[in-house]
């Protein structure tokens, strides 16, 4: 038996570099998602169970194995959220955070980080590093996690457990956990059944732990400098207070104030200056390096309205690979969100930097607004479009060529379009179009395309222009009609 945290960690260190098949004999053919986690627990002589206490109760340590992945840019990030214990709606309302079952079970976690390698059998995967994560050791994070726990608890006390979603909190979220729509639980102050949910640390938060413990990277820039700033406020209020003094100012005046030269990224440069960020700001992705933005999965986007109140631009997301998309499942076998797009919308909190053109043709900074896509939209129209896109790729994309008056060819496909008004749509990110084999802007299709009026044989049946999902401009507009709400 392990009686101290140090004993647990020393035992965990012995696992680093070992392949799964070296640890214990577990049926690798089962291909269960929790294979690595089961192997890690077995290393400590722990059999799988659903006990309410920590895995190693005498030491007060929970055991968790968590995957990370290598991104297209060569950097690493957490592959997914870290799912913790199921939320017992009936009991949790009688607890306070300091004496909660959540903190008792998850306050100290021995984390085993392993790289997710889709082309290598799971029994060949190795534990890259282990870390003893003690939640209270980072006072600012601990304060924010406490606020998140209390917000989840308040929803339940208000009879709104059925309204919980991952977007309402910052670092700790209430994620769906149930293999079907029938996975619901009774809640104490409402007769409406609520989806079964579990506490989880967001994937962005896990990425920050990964970079700290595995790659030894220095901390990102922080907006909150100490726990006293957060005690009587919260992350979003602190950010909003920094921007409010500049509401209603002309963009040109803000450029002059912060000595910003003309740039396509001017609004992001202004946002970075207001937040007093010292690092180089070059666009939306620059804010991923801000500590709180990374941990809370906050994505900054600028929205430009013209004088008539129209925003022409939809919000684009990274290109998806056709072959990978068709292999995804919306939820995994445990009912936990699995598809990349599903997880993105559930976990992401948008921060819109809103600019509006006045009657004199001058751009004015209208304000900041935080927004999470409602879960009913994610599980409704967004899921429907995602599933239709997967089906289209599996069945074969329909491509239709039409020659224009100038001699150039226009190629149409049967993916969901912006004009379909389905919350999201699919189209290329870049202006370039490419239907050539191994083309720079093309991706290979899992099933041959079905052509109508194909221009010539240089247009491939198996390759087409890379595509990405877009959040419709009209959908965004309705949530930004009143910036003060």
């Amino acid at each position: 038996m392990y009686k101290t945290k140090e004993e647990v960690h020393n035992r965990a260190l012995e696992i680093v570099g070992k392949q799964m098949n070296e640890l214990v004999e577990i049926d690798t053919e089962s291909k269960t998602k929790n294979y690595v986690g089961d192997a890690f627990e077995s290393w400590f002589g722990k059999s799988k169970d659903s006990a309410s206490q920590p895995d190693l109760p005498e030491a007060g340590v929970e055991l968790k194995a968590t995957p990370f992945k290598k991104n297209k840019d060569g950097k690493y990030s957490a592959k997914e959220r870290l799912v913790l214990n199921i939320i017992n709606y009936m009991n949790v309302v009688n607890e306070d955070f300091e004496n909660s079952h959540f903190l008792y079970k998850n306050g100290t976690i021995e984390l085993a980080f392993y790289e997710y390698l889709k082309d290598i059998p799971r029994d060949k995967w190795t534990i890259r590093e282990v870390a003893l994560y003690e939640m209270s050791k980072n006072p600012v994070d601990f304060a924010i996690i406490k606020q998140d726990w209390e917000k989840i608890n308040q929803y339940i006390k208000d009879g709104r457990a059925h309204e919980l979603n991952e977007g309402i909190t910052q670092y700790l979220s209430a994620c769906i956990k149930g293999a079907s729509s029938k996975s619901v639980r009774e809640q104490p102050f409402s007769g409406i059944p609520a989806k079964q949910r579990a506490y989880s640390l967001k994937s962005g938060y896990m990425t920050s732990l990964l970079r700290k413990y595995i790659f030894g990277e220095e901390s990102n820039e922080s907006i909150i400098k100490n726990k006293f700033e957060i005690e009587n406020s919260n992350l979003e209020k602190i950010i909003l207070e920094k921007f409010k003094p500049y509401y209603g100012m002309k963009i040109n005046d803000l450029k002059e104030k912060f000595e910003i030269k003309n740039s396509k990224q001017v609004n992001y440069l202004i946002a970075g200056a207001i937040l007093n960020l010292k690092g180089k700001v070059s666009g939306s992705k620059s804010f991923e390096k801000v500590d709180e933005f990374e941990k809370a999965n906050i994505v900054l986007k600028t929205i430009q309205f013209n004088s008539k109140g129209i925003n022409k631009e939809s919000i684009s997301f990274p290109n998806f690979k056709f072959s990978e998309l068709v292999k995804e499942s919306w939820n995994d076998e445990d009912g936990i969100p699995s598809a990349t797009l599903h997880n993105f919308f559930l976990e992401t909190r948008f921060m819109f930097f809103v600019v509006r053109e006045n009657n004199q043709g001058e751009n004015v900074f209208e304000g900041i607004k935080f927004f999470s896509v409602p879960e009913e939209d994610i599980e409704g129209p967004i899921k429907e479009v995602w599933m239709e896109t997967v089906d289209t790729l599996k069945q074969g994309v329909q491509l239709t060529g039409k020659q224009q008056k100038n001699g150039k060819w226009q190629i149409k496909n049967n993916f969901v379009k912006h004009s379909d008004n389905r919350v999201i749509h699919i189209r290329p990110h870049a202006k370039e179009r490419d239907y050539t084999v191994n083309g720079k802007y093309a991706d290979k299709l899992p099933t041959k395309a079905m052509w109508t009026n194909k221009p010539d044989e240089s247009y491939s049946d198996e390759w087409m222009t890379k595509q990405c999902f877009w959040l419709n401009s009209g959908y965004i507009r309705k949530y930004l009609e009143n910036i003060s709400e």
Side-chain angles (χ1 to χ4, degrees):
M1 297 294 292
Y2 301 91
K3 296 183 178 181
T4 67
K5 293 180 287 188
E6 290 72 23
E7 288 178 356
V8 174
H9 186 55
N10 288 336
R11 174 63 173 166
L13 287 170
E14 297 174 11
I15 206 175
V16 175
K18 292 184 182 292
Q19 292 184 347
M20 293 299 104
N21 57 10
E22 294 180 72
L23 304 182
V24 287
E25 292 185 10
I26 292 181
D27 180 15
T28 60
E29 296 302 317
S30 63
K31 303 295 183 183
T32 61
K33 177 187 175 184
N34 296 320
Y35 168 58
V36 179
D38 293 346
F40 185 51
E41 289 184 5
S42 296
W43 178 250
F44 289 87
K46 171 80 172 57
S47 57
K48 191 172 183 178
D49 60 34
S50 55
S52 60
Q53 59 189 4
D55 290 323
L56 303 175
E58 290 194 23
V61 178
E62 182 76 356
L63 301 172
K64 290 289 183 182
T66 184
F68 63 92
K69 62 182 180 179
K70 191 173 186 178
N71 302 320
K72 293 176 183 178
D73 60 4
K75 296 181 179 179
Y76 290 91
S77 66
K79 181 179 178 291
E80 57 197 33
R81 61 179 68 71
L82 182 68
V83 180
L84 304 171
N85 57 295
I86 295 286
I87 303 173
N88 186 319
Y89 301 133
M90 304 303 289
N91 293 345
V92 73
V93 292
N94 299 313
E95 299 176 351
D96 59 76
F97 180 72
E98 284 75 11
N99 299 294
S100 65
H101 173 250
F102 162 79
L103 193 58
Y104 165 63
K105 185 170 176 63
N106 306 296
T108 302
I109 304 173
E110 186 67 40
L111 290 170
F113 293 91
Y114 64 94
E115 186 172 359
Y116 176 82
L117 300 166
K118 60 183 177 180
D119 298 322
I120 295 177
R122 293 187 184 191
D123 62 334
K124 302 293 184 185
W125 290 355
T126 61
I127 300 295
R128 286 278 299 273
E129 189 57 90
V130 294
L132 186 67
Y133 167 68
E134 296 179 85
M135 199 172 285
S136 62
K137 285 295 179 72
N138 184 320
V140 173
D141 286 7
F142 191 62
I144 291 174
I145 289 171
K146 177 183 177 180
Q147 288 180 351
D148 290 338
W149 185 92
E150 290 175 340
K151 187 166 190 176
I152 293 168
N153 210 16
Q154 193 60 51
Y155 262 69
I156 302 167
K157 288 180 178 179
D158 292 342
R160 301 170 61 199
H162 57 287
E163 296 179 19
L164 285 168
N165 64 77
E166 294 187 66
I168 66 170
T169 49
Q170 300 157 104
Y171 297 172
L172 179 74
S173 63
C175 75
I176 299 168
K177 195 176 192 302
S180 72
S181 58
K182 295 180 181 179
S183 299
V184 294
R185 282 181 167 243
E186 181 184 4
Q187 58 171 311
F189 303 113
S190 172
I192 302 173
K195 289 180 182 178
Q196 179 171 270
R197 292 181 181 272
Y199 294 111
S200 65
L201 292 171
K202 290 189 177 185
S203 60
Y205 191 82
M206 296 309 297
T207 294
S208 74
L209 295 184
L210 171 77
R211 291 176 179 167
K212 174 183 176 181
Y213 289 122
I214 305 302
F215 300 108
E217 295 181 7
E218 293 183 7
S219 298
N220 292 332
E221 287 192 76
S222 296
I223 295 170
I224 301 169
K225 306 303 180 186
N226 61 68
K227 70 173 184 177
F228 302 108
E229 292 182 62
I230 199 78
E231 283 183 350
N232 297 310
S233 188
N234 63 49
L235 176 59
E236 292 187 6
K237 285 182 181 178
I238 289 171
I239 292 173
L240 286 170
E241 288 304 313
K242 290 181 181 293
F243 281 93
K244 280 185 178 178
Y246 305 99
Y247 282 18
M249 288 186 66
K250 296 174 185 177
I251 293 297
N252 282 337
D253 290 341
L254 288 170
K255 284 167 57 181
E256 183 177 345
K257 176 178 177 58
F258 294 114
E259 300 181 351
I260 295 171
K261 298 179 180 179
N262 287 328
S263 166
K264 290 182 179 179
Q265 307 296 336
V266 63
N267 294 332
Y268 293 108
L269 293 171
I270 291 171
I274 291 173
L275 290 173
N276 197 29
L277 301 180
K278 304 301 182 185
K280 185 178 180 182
V281 174
S282 58
S284 177
K285 289 187 73 65
S286 303
F287 290 84
E288 294 176 6
K289 298 177 182 178
V290 178
D291 191 55
E292 293 85 357
F293 277 59
E294 178 182 67
K295 291 175 178 176
N297 287 69
I298 295 173
V299 173
L300 175 63
K301 293 288 184 182
T302 64
I303 306 295
Q304 172 74 58
F305 287 94
N306 63 21
S307 58
K308 296 179 180 179
I310 303 296
N311 57 317
K312 295 181 180 179
E313 293 298 321
S314 297
I315 294 177
S316 65
F317 306 111
N319 293 327
F320 55 79
K321 290 192 71 67
F322 301 134
S323 59
E324 292 179 2
L325 187 67
V326 297
K327 293 177 183 177
E328 289 188 331
S329 299
W330 188 249
N331 293 316
D332 67 16
E333 63 269 22
D334 296 320
I336 296 173
S338 176
T340 303
L341 190 74
H342 194 187
N343 279 313
F344 176 82
F345 278 121
L346 284 173
E347 290 196 291
T348 296
R349 184 76 164 155
F350 289 101
M351 181 178 131
F352 292 132
F353 183 103
V354 184
V355 178
R356 194 178 297 269
E357 183 184 29
N358 63 21
N359 293 330
Q360 289 73 46
E362 301 168 306
N363 283 326
V364 176
F365 172 48
E366 191 168 66
I368 290 292
K369 188 164 187 178
F370 286 94
F371 171 70
S372 295
V373 176
E375 199 168 281
E376 58 265 28
D377 289 345
I378 299 170
E379 303 299 340
I382 289 177
K383 178 183 178 181
E384 290 169 4
V385 172
W386 182 88
M387 293 183 73
E388 287 178 31
T389 304
V390 171
D391 287 343
T392 297
L393 288 166
K394 287 180 177 179
Q395 294 167 9
V397 182
Q398 296 176 18
L399 298 175
T400 303
K402 183 178 180 180
Q403 194 167 25
Q404 307 298 297
K405 291 181 179 180
N406 59 8
K408 294 183 179 180
W409 283 85
Q410 181 185 48
I411 309 298
K412 293 186 177 182
N413 59 58
N414 62 328
F415 288 128
V416 174
K417 299 172 180 59
H418 184 276
S419 57
D420 294 328
N421 293 318
R422 301 276 299 280
V423 180
I424 62 170
H425 64 280
I426 295 91
R427 62 183 166 95
H429 187 276
K431 293 181 179 180
E432 290 81 359
R433 300 296 181 263
D434 196 342
Y435 295 85
T436 60
V437 175
N438 291 314
K440 181 179 179 181
Y441 301 102
D443 188 29
K444 189 173 184 179
L445 292 161
T447 304
K448 285 186 177 182
M450 295 177 283
W451 276 97
T452 299
N453 199 24
K454 185 178 178 181
D456 57 57
E457 289 307 310
S458 68
Y459 286 72
S460 173
D461 296 338
E462 299 183 76
W463 291 73
M464 72 171 290
T465 307
K466 296 174 182 177
Q467 306 285 318
C468 65
F469 290 102
W470 295 69
L471 193 62
N472 291 6
S473 57
Y475 179 80
I476 301 164
R477 186 183 311 132
K478 71 178 183 179
Y479 285 102
L480 295 178
E481 288 176 343
N482 190 340
I483 196 74
S484 63
E485 291 184 355

